[in-house]
């Protein structure tokens, strides 16, 4: 059983001793030296013999009770135990923890939160848009309409893209608006820098800075920002004073 830091302090070791022991243990693991526990290092003891047998394979019954993601998590844990490289073992345990979290997904009430490729939305972006709307001469109803429209634009961002997959006409149909009010709403959003409309052929494509809202692989977010900077020809207007 692992000994807690509190117990080690009770035994008379200070934080500096414990930190040094932890650093020593980490160095030994990386070097492949015999494994020693923190109490063994603090007491100056040799590593006691430990069984080196590989983990037992899980039975079909053990796996079947946990579902597919649970099975994957257990197999990943087994692989981590059998891994001789500490860095690789740490990575495997990290991914195993993610699989465990997914395996504990609750019984769905009505909506599938993990389905459909959700959008990441920046709080700074929303705060800035709300502040800029309040500085315009728009009525409360017009500001509320603008936020509702922006929400629908964000909802339909393309995967790994800064462009909305819906045109102004599509948004009219989705929100039940007439073309004229929609045109005024989009103009307001563009005026405050919430969106940029880029001309492509005969169509105006609605775009959003990926630093505000992004749908895609977060590891490729910087790539999307670079594309937005390079490819959006119409510069975003300065926020209205």
């Amino acid at each position: 059983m692992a000994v807690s830091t509190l117990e080690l302090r009770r035994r008379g070791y200070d934080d500096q001793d414990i930190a040094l022991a932890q650093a020593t243990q980490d160095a030994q693991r990386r070097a492949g030296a015999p494994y020693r526990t923190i109490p063994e290092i603090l007491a100056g003891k040799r590593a006691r013999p430990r069984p080196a047998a590989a983990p037992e394979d899980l039975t079909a019954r053990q796996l079947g009770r946990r579902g597919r993601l649970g099975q994957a998590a257990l197999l990943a844990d087994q692989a981590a135990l059998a891994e001789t490289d500490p860095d690789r073992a740490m990575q495997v345990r990290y991914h195993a923890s993610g699989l465990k979290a997914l395996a504990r997904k609750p019984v769905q009430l009505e909506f599938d939160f993990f389905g459909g490729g959700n959008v990441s939305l920046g709080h700074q972006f929303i705060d800035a848009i709300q502040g800029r709307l309040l500085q315009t001469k728009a009525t409360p109803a017009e500001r509320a309409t603008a936020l509702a429209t922006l929400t629908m634009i964000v909802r339909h961002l393309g995967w790994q893209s800064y462009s909305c997959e819906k045109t102004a006409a599509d948004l009219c149909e989705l929100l039940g608006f007439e073309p004229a009010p929609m045109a005024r709403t989009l103009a307001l959003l563009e005026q405050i820098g919430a969106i940029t409309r880029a001309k492509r052929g005969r169509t105006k494509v609605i775009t959003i800075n990926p630093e505000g809202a992004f749908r895609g692989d977060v590891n490729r977010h910087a790539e999307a920002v670079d594309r937005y900077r390079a490819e959006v020809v119409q510069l975003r207007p300065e926020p209205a004073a």
Side-chain angles (χ1 to χ4, degrees), residues 180-194:
M182 176 58 70
R184 291 194 296 270
T185 299
L186 293 177
L188 175 60
L189 288 171
E190 190 164 27
Q191 172 192 336
I192 63 172

Side-chain angles (χ1 to χ4, degrees), residues 23-45:
T24 302
Q25 185 187 64
D26 184 60
Q28 289 174 343
R29 281 176 173 167
R30 291 178 179 276
Y35 175 83
R36 290 198 293 167
T37 65
I38 297 296
E40 286 173 344
I41 295 172
L42 288 169
K45 295 180 179 178

Side-chain angles (χ1 to χ4, degrees), residues 10 21 34 55 75 79 100 117 122 149 171 174 178 183 186-187 200 235 240:
R10 193 187 65 78
L75 290 171
K100 290 173 188 174
T149 303
L171 293 173
L174 288 169
E178 293 296 325
L186 293 177
R200 292 182 185 170
L235 296 178

